[in-house]
Amino acid sequence: MIELLSFGDTGWGDELARGLLVTLLLAVSCFATGTLIGLLLMLFRRKGRFSRIVVELYITVFRGVPELLVIYLFFFGTGIMVRSVAASFGYTDYINLSGFFLAALALTCITAAYSAEVFRGAASSIPPGQQEAAKAFGFSPAKSFRLIELPQLLVVALPGLGNIWLILLKDTALVSLTSVAELMRQSAVAAGATFRPFFFYAIAALIYFAISLLSERFVSRVERRIAIPEDR
């Protein structure tokens, strides 16, 4: 069994390591980008009735459609859309989009929808009197948000964002169905080549569990460090 995890031609350790790297790159990039977009969606939601309807529609769609279906729609639909647009400008050569890019795009959109709701809930817990006080002192809306609301927003939203990270980490396994060579895909290839599916899927499960456990401990440590004392 140990030989199956060795590096080189005799084992699958290097393939699993490369798959783990792809999984982490996918999760980190989608989380960072999706969280930023979610924050922008929360701010855009405040601009008026039309912007609120647009954001709520976006959130409803991406939270209501199964993640795997969203990945499939992006994987099979984006290429058709891009080629159609290119053809309208006279470009008829075949355009091949990266599977990693399409998977990242789909997971980013999903993460942005959930993050926007987390930030909205966190923002509702901040007393509106603080914004009124900032306005009375002559703060611009941007300065008020940056110096007063944003620090509190991040503290309150951190537990919810931690949960989104864990969900996103598990959702990266879904992109294995679109041939992206992440951890789950490499585990499936190794299982099929060696006829030991339980062994390699168990190894993959242990790796996901280890990353999730480390992530939970990291988030908990950050929460304790930045928590606002109750007596203040």
Side-chain angles (χ1 to χ4, degrees):
M1 293 293 185
I2 300 300
E3 293 180 356
L4 293 175
L5 298 178
S6 62
F7 289 79
D9 297 334
T10 60
W12 292 86
D14 45 355
E15 285 82 2
L16 294 179
R18 285 196 296 269
L20 175 60
L21 179 61
V22 173
T23 292
L24 292 176
L25 287 175
L26 188 61
V28 171
S29 60
C30 293
F31 180 76
T33 309
T35 301
L36 178 59
I37 295 175
L39 181 61
L40 296 177
L41 287 174
M42 186 271 292
L43 295 175
F44 182 70
R45 194 176 193 167
R46 301 174 174 177
K47 296 299 183 180
R49 186 171 181 271
F50 175 76
S51 60
R52 178 172 54 83
I53 292 175
V54 171
V55 173
E56 288 179 355
L57 180 61
Y58 173 90
I59 293 173
T60 301
V61 170
F62 281 98
R63 293 181 68 195
V65 178
E67 285 85 350
L68 180 58
L69 185 54
V70 173
I71 293 172
Y72 276 154
L73 291 174
F74 272 83
F75 191 80
F76 295 108
T78 305
I80 297 175
M81 185 183 303
V82 171
R83 286 189 288 271
S84 298
V85 173
S88 66
F89 288 95
Y91 186 85
T92 57
D93 292 343
Y94 182 77
I95 300 176
N96 185 25
L97 298 178
S98 166
F100 182 91
F101 170 77
L102 295 176
L105 185 61
L107 293 177
T108 297
C109 291
I110 296 171
T111 304
Y114 283 95
S115 298
E117 280 295 279
V118 169
F119 284 124
R120 182 191 64 82
S124 64
S125 67
I126 300 176
Q130 296 184 9
Q131 300 295 327
E132 297 173 0
K135 185 177 181 180
F137 278 99
F139 282 27
S140 65
K143 185 176 181 180
S144 175
F145 174 77
R146 179 170 53 88
L147 297 180
I148 298 176
E149 185 176 8
L150 183 59
Q152 300 178 77
L153 195 66
L154 294 177
V155 172
V156 178
L158 182 60
L161 295 178
N163 290 332
I164 291 176
W165 161 256
L166 294 177
I167 294 173
L168 173 62
L169 181 64
K170 292 184 291 184
D171 283 348
T172 58
L174 297 175
V175 306
S176 64
L177 300 176
T178 60
S179 73
V180 177
E182 43 72 66
L183 178 60
M184 191 65 187
R185 178 68 178 178
Q186 297 286 30
S187 300
V189 172
T194 60
F195 300 101
R196 295 182 181 273
F198 179 79
F199 175 76
F200 281 102
Y201 288 141
I203 293 297
L206 289 175
I207 294 174
Y208 280 114
F209 176 76
I211 298 174
S212 299
L213 185 61
L214 292 175
S215 300
E216 288 182 352
R217 291 188 174 181
F218 175 76
V219 172
S220 297
R221 178 171 296 182
V222 174
E223 286 182 17
R224 290 194 298 268
R225 176 162 295 188
I226 67 176
I228 301 175
E230 296 182 357
D231 56 348
R232 289 181 62 181

